[in-house]
Amino acid sequence: MATLILVRHGRSTANTSGVLAGRTPGIALDERGAAQAAALPARLADVPLAAAVSSPLQRCRETLRPLLDARPDLPLHVEDRINECDYGDWSGRKLAELNDEPLMEVVQAHASAAAFPGGESMRAMQDRAVEAVRDWNARIEAEHGEDACYLMCSHGDIVKSLVADALGLHLDLFQRVHVDPCSVTVIRYTRLRPFLLRLGDTGDFAGFAPRERPGDAGAAEVGGGAGAP
């Protein structure tokens, strides 16, 4: 079956302002995010890609623009099922405020039971993303062969939920996975099982340096976080 290259979008203006963007329109890449996107074509230069699939949101489209400019023959498909989680009433709010919400503890420790007011559940988010990958795997293999690679550009919680599915992890454990902006995660699907070949690869180790972190140091950053400073 196909090999999936998952790219989380580059750093956005919401990431740097500490806002849970969700599906709020008009969220663009910031200056660092634009630079991350500009570096993506060189990082993937040796990988033949059959197609690019994108979340409909602006920050994902902007992340893929340099790659599409470098590969004008690469077809782009927009896939609603890999859109950002619908955080409902939480969308557009500061993460620092949301940390005091009782639901945040559920999101952190029991994600499969978390449903956002006015939005969707985390289980529904994972289900639609996994369904999209299964469908695209079949389509890419049918059109390009079982050794084909394709790319999906999506969002932090989507990528993490797909990694959890590939590893056979319960959704309640998906907050143990972390992927930085514009990081590359690679999953090779086979008839028997998926193989996780790369996880959150940025080629940049600055993010591992100790730094002061707001709030609970053991909590996952909902939406994915801003990455290295």
Side-chain angles (χ1 to χ4, degrees):
M1 295 177 68
T3 296
L4 171 61
I5 298 175
L6 281 165
V7 177
R8 184 187 167 198
H9 63 77
R11 196 173 76 175
S12 73
T13 53
N15 294 145
T16 46
S17 59
V19 169
L20 185 62
R23 298 180 180 181
T24 305
I27 303 297
L29 299 184
D30 68 6
E31 185 176 351
R32 180 179 175 86
Q36 291 170 333
L40 196 58
R43 292 170 62 196
L44 298 176
D46 294 331
V47 183
L49 294 173
V53 183
S54 178
S55 157
L57 295 186
Q58 177 180 341
R59 53 194 182 271
C60 289
R61 289 172 173 268
E62 289 182 354
T63 299
L64 288 183
R65 178 48 52 197
L67 179 65
L68 295 171
D69 288 344
R71 302 192 190 196
D73 295 331
L74 180 65
L76 173 66
H77 307 272
V78 175
E79 173 58 76
D80 288 337
R81 291 175 295 177
I82 60 168
N83 199 349
E84 176 65 284
C85 183
D86 184 354
Y87 298 115
D89 297 344
W90 278 27
S91 300
R93 292 181 59 187
K94 288 279 191 181
L95 287 164
E97 299 173 5
L98 294 172
N99 285 333
D100 296 328
E101 295 279 355
L103 179 60
M104 182 59 85
E105 185 176 1
V106 182
V107 171
Q108 293 290 333
H110 192 16
S112 64
F116 297 97
E120 70 178 334
S121 69
M122 302 202 89
R123 181 176 298 206
M125 173 200 74
Q126 184 187 43
D127 286 347
R128 62 175 167 82
V130 169
E131 180 185 58
V133 167
R134 296 288 189 269
D135 288 349
W136 276 101
N137 283 349
R139 176 174 173 176
I140 293 296
E141 181 177 1
E143 295 178 1
H144 302 279
E146 63 181 12
D147 293 327
C149 297
Y150 72 106
L151 181 148
M152 275 188 173
C153 185
S154 189
H155 307 270
D157 282 347
I158 295 288
V159 175
K160 289 162 56 177
S161 72
L162 290 170
V163 169
D165 173 75
L167 292 177
L169 295 177
H170 196 282
L171 184 60
D172 288 349
L173 302 179
F174 100 123
Q175 298 289 25
R176 300 185 184 194
V177 179
H178 180 80
V179 289
D180 275 343
C182 221
S183 62
V184 174
T185 294
V186 182
I187 303 171
R188 177 172 293 152
Y189 290 87
T190 74
R191 183 173 60 85
L192 295 180
R193 63 182 64 85
F195 292 90
L196 181 64
L197 304 184
R198 295 287 188 278
L199 176 60
D201 189 339
T202 63
D204 179 4
F205 294 96
F208 301 146
R211 66 183 192 272
E212 187 174 337
R213 300 176 185 271
D216 181 358
E221 297 178 83
V222 180

